[in-house]
Amino acid sequence: MNLIDYPRWPSLARESILNVPTDLRSIKLSVEGKVIDYGGEIDSVVITGMGGSGVVGDIINDLCWFWDCRVPIIVSKNMRLPKRLSRPLVIAISYSGNTAETIMSTNEALSRGYPVIGITTGGKLSTVLGSKGVPVILVPKASAPRYGLPALLYPALVVLERFGVASVTNELESGISGIENALKRIDDAVNLAKQLVNSVPVVWVTESRRGVGIRFKNDLNENAKYYSVVSVIPEGAHNDIAAVTTKQVGLKHVAIMGLNDYEGLYEEVLIDVISSFGARPIIIKLEGNTPLETEMYGVTFLGMVTLALAELLGVEPVSTEPIDRLKNLLSERRVFQV
């Protein structure tokens, strides 16, 4: 099986953090007549990005269920920022640097006087921010944005520590261990992929591992060109679960099991109920000794599953023609002005 850039993930993670400036808190800029002081107090972090870049915010949101994050993390996947912000730090993530939605929300952040940090491989985002003196963290390239996940995630984690949001340094290597552990499970990934052929996967995941479930769905969409549904519990246990009574043809339930806390016990009961209606889920147990290790194990292993599924289906995993066509049409019709 062709793992594309997954074997590079440990080196991508380590290499990317070398470009994080050490003096971020000492930066002070004047943009559009507003003084932006990076040393000031922040009361939230907004992580803006789309697709393979935007999932970084989902993963960090997961980690803050386990870490003592000092301020709320707000994930923004839009061309606009939320209205009610006071003193946020904005982390703008665009692998290509040409994502229109991210550039627009970044420009809005600067016009409001918010400190912004860009994470990208280059493109317009790097040019726009660099021309204004805004710090840009350049990261190594991969075959596509989703295959460069650690290069986008790890600098964002270091930024959080530099701004006193969370203590992450002692977990960074454990996250890489999670990647390396998952890379040893190729046979397991292939076996799981075989069970998903000719199905629509219904992914059950707890709120604290929402990012793993979303990333799995996205990889099913982009790598295997498969539709998928994510049901986040406990909310999904109050609506989605009712649909098991109809026994729809073609669905394959997949339960992502995290740490054995109250959420895990809740999910075990949910699985018992789903199974009692004849829809027996495939159970994926996440592994790891730290929150980051568990998260990285999950996104790596499940990503490998989607690559194996693509191979079984004879699908080319890297290209995403519908996404490219949509972007081109939006540009031609001047939907976005960047």
Side-chain angles (χ1 to χ4, degrees), residues 34 43 86 102 123 126 141 147 153 176-177 247 249 270 299 314:
K34 292 183 173 65
D43 62 5
S86 179
T102 306
S126 177
K141 291 186 177 182
Y147 302 125
L153 172 64
I176 293 171
S177 295
K247 299 181 174 62
V249 176
L270 176 109
V299 298

Side-chain angles (χ1 to χ4, degrees), residues 6 66 69 90 163 169 183 201 216 238 240 280 284 296 333:
Y6 280 76
F66 302 95
C69 291
V90 177
F163 280 80
T169 299
L183 288 170
F216 184 33
H238 291 265
D240 292 342
R280 300 187 181 279
I284 308 298
M296 295 311 295
R333 297 179 188 181

